[in-house]
Amino acid sequence: MTVRPRRKIHLAAHFPGVNSTTVWADPRSKSQIGFSSFEHLARTAERGLFDFFFLAEGLRLREHKGRIHDLDVVGRPESLTVLNALAAVTSRIGLAATVNATFNEPYELARRLATLDHLSGGRAAWNVVTSSDAFTGANFRRGGYLDRAERYARAAEFVAVARELWDSWTPDGLSRPFAHRGQHFDIAGEFTVPRSPQGHPVVIQAGDSGEGREFAARTADVIFTRHGTLEDGRAFYADVKGRLAKYGRSVDELKIMPGVSVVLGDTAAEAQERAAEIRRQQVSPQNAILALEQIWGTDLSSYDPDGPFPDFDPVPDASLTQGRTRRGDTVAMAEKWRALSREKGLSIQQTVIEASGRQSFIGTPEAVAAELETFVRQDAADGFILVPHLTPGGLDEFVDRVVPLLQERGAFRTEYRGTTLRSHLGLPDPAGKG
């Protein structure tokens, strides 16, 4: 019997913000836009020897019933600008920016990413996202001009062009002209930025759809996803890793890292109590109705959060919420939530709290460390992107109490052994085209 070598866990940190994870009312929650918040969380993650620090991005403030969405972040700085500043106050941790491939151009973005890679000494990463949303596109005079399949085709070509640009400088410092003529891009010239310390910035992709999985298998170095259970994680892991061979890639060339939250306590009961309180803070009565309206596609402000669900089905193709994708089959989702409410005797708010919770590791530091390792050892993940509920101190307890236990178990590094993000992730440097 072949015994598989013990794999180290990969860890990354997500800056909370444009989601329902963040607890805004907690007195420990600080600025979502001040540089000190970004610096604190990034330095904490680096102190914990994490692989990278990850920023999301929204290109337009979401709206609900014609008003700014209550959970959106007004004034969030542009991601690459923030990361360039963080490069000066960190030394090893990777710096990952979410940048949309639908509303940018390859030459300009490749140049900005290569610049960050130089300034940080080889620590840059790009989380590739796409959009077919006309509401967001209006900011760019490109309202909804790509369907779902086409936006992935554009994104795949976008990444390929960016890599052509990064490869147009040889490892020994010679620049060569580039020319690309494809379905979406027709460009030629010379790239102005020499080859960066890790050759190419790391490419991350977020998404669980069939198109997203195929895009990640063909193109990405890391996939940011979510799993509800160990079994779901193993199924996703096997599916995505199984797609790599047809692109000539090994299973180690793509790291699968679900986004998770962690709640700790000195006892299991204390951790569960803290987790329940956090969920109550995340899903206020107002936010419970808002979550329902996003599914039902109609005004439900007259409904009591402590009362029963609507007895009618969602409105198809409703535009009550702008700038946010509706959740798949809304009729099936509505029936699932109503069934859960009936089965457990839950109100609207109680149902939303139970049904919409992000997968969490809840327990004592020892129990959480063991469970994280189990996910990796049983091929449900290569690591995790932690999504804390507090800004900026939401990682402090994990780094202080869980990381040392992972190190004692031999499941996590005790020091950075390389200087680039690729070295942290165990990814090969791309071969230079000399």
Side-chain angles (χ1 to χ4, degrees), residues 101 106 126 128 150-164 180-187 215 218-219:
W126 170 26
V128 183
E150 191 68 11
R151 62 182 170 136
Y152 274 112
R154 176 186 165 94
E157 187 177 344
F158 194 123
V159 175
V161 175
R163 286 172 169 159
E164 287 178 39
H180 175 93
R181 289 175 174 82
Q183 179 181 356
H184 294 278
F185 306 106
D186 184 351
I187 61 175
F215 177 73
R218 179 174 63 250
T219 303

Side-chain angles (χ1 to χ4, degrees), residues 337-354:
W337 283 20
R338 283 189 294 222
L340 178 62
S341 174
R342 291 191 298 267
E343 176 188 349
K344 297 191 175 182
L346 302 177
S347 67
I348 289 173
Q349 183 183 11
Q350 291 168 333
T351 303
V352 175
I353 287 173
E354 179 153 338

Side-chain angles (χ1 to χ4, degrees), residues 138-420:
N139 277 347
F140 301 88
R141 294 183 176 270
R142 294 182 180 178
Y145 76 110
L146 290 177
D147 62 24
R148 184 179 187 90
E150 191 68 11
R151 62 182 170 136
Y152 274 112
R154 176 186 165 94
E157 187 177 344
F158 194 123
V159 175
V161 175
R163 286 172 169 159
E164 287 178 39
L165 295 171
W166 293 327
D167 280 338
S168 67
W169 281 74
T170 65
D172 56 356
L174 295 177
S175 172
R176 299 169 303 180
F178 68 84
H180 175 93
R181 289 175 174 82
Q183 179 181 356
H184 294 278
F185 306 106
D186 184 351
I187 61 175
E190 290 196 17
F191 195 52
T192 60
V193 184
R195 192 171 180 83
S196 65
Q198 59 177 350
H200 299 170
V202 168
V203 171
I204 305 170
Q205 194 269 335
D208 283 354
S209 68
E211 299 100 321
R213 295 181 189 205
E214 202 66 24
F215 177 73
R218 179 174 63 250
T219 303
D221 300 306
V222 177
I223 184 166
F224 175 29
T225 183
R226 64 180 67 191
H227 307 310
T229 64
L230 179 68
E231 291 72 24
D232 288 344
R234 295 188 68 190
F236 179 86
Y237 191 97
D239 177 76
V240 174
K241 297 277 188 173
R243 298 172 188 242
L244 293 168
K246 64 183 172 183
Y247 298 109
R249 306 181 67 193
S250 73
V251 294
D252 294 326
E253 291 182 62
L254 175 65
K255 306 302 180 185
I256 296 177
M257 299 180 68
V260 300
S261 60
V262 172
V263 181
L264 302 175
D266 291 334
T267 65
E270 180 185 322
Q272 290 292 342
E273 184 177 339
R274 289 182 67 185
E277 177 57 27
I278 290 168
R279 290 299 295 147
R280 285 192 291 269
Q281 291 176 304
Q282 290 169 331
V283 184
S284 66
Q286 176 189 5
N287 287 339
I289 295 299
L290 186 148
L292 240 62
E293 290 178 335
Q294 289 175 344
I295 293 175
W296 261 261
T298 190
D299 186 343
L300 300 175
S301 57
S302 63
Y303 278 73
D304 182 356
D306 293 324
F309 275 71
D311 58 5
F312 57 88
D313 286 337
V315 177
D317 302 320
S319 58
L320 197 70
T321 299
Q322 297 275 16
R324 182 186 180 111
T325 303
R326 294 185 83 194
R327 306 183 186 190
D329 185 343
T330 55
V331 173
M333 178 70 73
E335 183 49 43
K336 180 179 179 181
W337 283 20
R338 283 189 294 222
L340 178 62
S341 174
R342 291 191 298 267
E343 176 188 349
K344 297 191 175 182
L346 302 177
S347 67
I348 289 173
Q349 183 183 11
Q350 291 168 333
T351 303
V352 175
I353 287 173
E354 179 153 338
S356 64
R358 180 183 290 272
Q359 174 211 348
S360 294
F361 293 94
I362 303 169
T364 64
E366 293 79 8
V368 167
E371 194 172 4
L372 291 171
E373 187 178 12
T374 295
F375 266 65
V376 173
R377 288 181 67 90
Q378 295 194 17
D379 290 339
D382 292 306
F384 308 92
I385 298 177
L386 272 67
V387 185
H389 69 278
L390 283 179
T391 303
L395 280 182
D396 294 5
E397 189 176 20
F398 182 90
V399 168
D400 292 337
R401 303 187 67 186
V402 178
V403 167
L405 295 175
L406 292 172
Q407 292 169 331
E408 289 176 11
R409 299 171 71 94
F412 190 62
R413 65 170 64 95
T414 57
E415 61 180 343
Y416 287 117
R417 297 191 179 276
T419 59
T420 69

Side-chain angles (χ1 to χ4, degrees), residues 55-190:
L55 291 180
E57 178 148 274
L59 293 177
R60 181 165 179 175
L61 293 174
R62 296 171 294 171
E63 294 181 5
H64 185 71
K65 294 192 289 191
R67 299 175 59 189
I68 298 299
H69 190 294
D70 285 347
L71 295 178
D72 222 329
V73 178
V74 177
R76 171 65 66 83
E78 190 273 328
S79 295
L80 278 168
T81 305
V82 172
L83 295 179
N84 278 306
L86 288 174
V89 296
T90 58
S91 61
R92 291 295 185 89
I93 193 164
L95 302 168
T98 301
V99 187
N100 197 298
T102 304
F103 303 120
N104 284 282
E105 295 297 323
Y107 185 93
E108 186 268 345
L109 181 54
R111 191 164 175 261
R112 292 165 63 202
L113 287 163
T115 299
L116 174 60
D117 215 35
H118 275 285
L119 294 178
S120 65
R123 297 185 282 135
W126 170 26
N127 178 42
V128 183
V129 295
T130 64
S131 177
S132 59
D133 175 23
F135 178 74
T136 300
N139 277 347
F140 301 88
R141 294 183 176 270
R142 294 182 180 178
Y145 76 110
L146 290 177
D147 62 24
R148 184 179 187 90
E150 191 68 11
R151 62 182 170 136
Y152 274 112
R154 176 186 165 94
E157 187 177 344
F158 194 123
V159 175
V161 175
R163 286 172 169 159
E164 287 178 39
L165 295 171
W166 293 327
D167 280 338
S168 67
W169 281 74
T170 65
D172 56 356
L174 295 177
S175 172
R176 299 169 303 180
F178 68 84
H180 175 93
R181 289 175 174 82
Q183 179 181 356
H184 294 278
F185 306 106
D186 184 351
I187 61 175
E190 290 196 17

